[in-house]
Amino acid sequence: MSDGPTNPSRGTETREKIIEAAASLIPELGWGDVSSRRVAERAGVNTGVIHYHVGSIGELRRIAAVRRIRTFFLDRIDEALSLTDPAEAVETMLRALSANDPRDPELLLLYESLVAASRDDELRAEIAALLAELRQRLCDWFGTRGVAHPLTVAVTLTAAIDGYLLQRSLDPSVEPGPLIDGLVGLVRQQLAADGA
């Protein structure tokens, strides 16, 4: 007697539970200590189910990390890009990115992933592609808002965000105010240059 056809939505649900379990364990344990066994325990599944749905533990860590990093940045950027004033959007974005505690799991996952990317070419390529997408999105948005050199501003902004988040992880007392002032000033200067 057959159990009938497999339920695709149930398979998707299981895969999502596995990915979320891995994503929650990376900041808790560190990249290298996220094992199939630990993910299976967190997700409430057999270890074999992980390899059925995802493949290797390395692939699972990559999928979980890139998805969380994408969400971390896109959520904050989307909110800022709903505004019309580029200077106000930059301030909103930077305040949203600095609102998290430096030991927040999302930021710890980002740091763990960046360190792991130095030894994992595939992870490095995926994170690099994500950052390139974010830069391009910002560049396009600034371009439609009258910023004179949108690529310059997009590259400067993303590099400054990366640097600020890293510095803040090492020294939580680093405040975002001076960075916000500098980048908002840059955007205003580029808006004035476009109007000149």
Side-chain angles (χ1 to χ4, degrees), residues 93-114:
M93 190 182 316
L94 290 167
R95 291 206 183 281
L97 287 164
S98 62
N100 292 55
D101 182 286
R103 304 301 298 168
D104 181 274
E106 285 184 306
L107 291 174
L108 293 175
L109 180 138
L110 175 63
Y111 308 143
E112 285 288 331
S113 302
L114 293 176

Side-chain angles (χ1 to χ4, degrees), residues 46-57:
N46 279 323
T47 306
V49 172
I50 291 172
H51 301 291
Y52 172 79
H53 284 284
V54 182
S56 70
I57 189 65

Side-chain angles (χ1 to χ4, degrees), residues 10 12 16 20 31 36-37 45-46 49 51-53 57 61 63 75 79 97 117 134 141 143 168 172 176 181-182 194:
R10 194 166 159 187
T12 302
E16 291 303 311
E20 285 305 309
W31 189 269
S36 297
R37 181 184 57 78
V45 299
N46 279 323
V49 172
H51 301 291
Y52 172 79
H53 284 284
I57 189 65
R61 287 188 293 233
I63 291 167
D75 284 353
E79 178 187 345
L97 287 164
L134 292 173
W141 188 85
R168 197 160 169 258
D181 291 346
D194 188 57

Side-chain angles (χ1 to χ4, degrees), residues 15-196:
R15 186 175 194 275
E16 291 303 311
K17 276 176 38 178
I18 291 167
I19 293 169
E20 285 305 309
S24 71
L25 286 169
I26 292 169
E28 284 179 31
L29 304 175
W31 189 269
D33 288 335
V34 176
S35 64
S36 297
R37 181 184 57 78
R38 286 181 161 153
V39 172
E41 287 172 1
R42 176 69 53 95
V45 299
N46 279 323
T47 306
V49 172
I50 291 172
H51 301 291
Y52 172 79
H53 284 284
V54 182
S56 70
I57 189 65
E59 182 182 354
L60 173 58
R61 287 188 293 233
R62 278 193 301 275
I63 291 167
V66 171
R67 181 184 288 185
R68 279 282 175 93
I69 292 168
R70 174 180 292 282
T71 302
F72 175 76
F73 284 111
L74 287 183
D75 284 353
R76 287 148 182 90
I77 287 175
D78 284 345
E79 178 187 345
L81 300 189
S82 68
L83 302 170
T84 53
D85 175 29
E88 185 183 349
V90 166
E91 180 172 356
T92 299
M93 190 182 316
L94 290 167
R95 291 206 183 281
L97 287 164
S98 62
N100 292 55
D101 182 286
R103 304 301 298 168
D104 181 274
E106 285 184 306
L107 291 174
L108 293 175
L109 180 138
L110 175 63
Y111 308 143
E112 285 288 331
S113 302
L114 293 176
V115 170
S118 68
R119 294 180 300 278
D120 181 332
D121 290 340
E122 200 171 330
L123 178 62
R124 181 172 48 252
E126 288 182 35
I127 293 174
L130 168 62
L131 294 175
E133 177 188 333
L134 292 173
R135 281 192 304 272
Q136 188 60 53
R137 190 165 176 191
L138 288 168
C139 178
D140 293 346
W141 188 85
F142 285 128
T144 64
R145 295 301 188 277
V147 172
H149 297 97
L151 181 59
T152 300
V153 174
V155 170
T156 303
L157 178 60
T158 54
I161 288 168
D162 289 345
Y164 171 72
L165 292 175
L166 177 61
Q167 287 184 39
R168 197 160 169 258
S169 74
L170 301 170
D171 180 2
S173 70
V174 175
E175 291 294 326
L179 177 65
I180 291 169
D181 291 346
L183 291 173
V184 166
L186 170 67
V187 171
R188 290 197 193 290
Q189 178 186 25
Q190 291 297 310
L191 285 168
D194 188 57

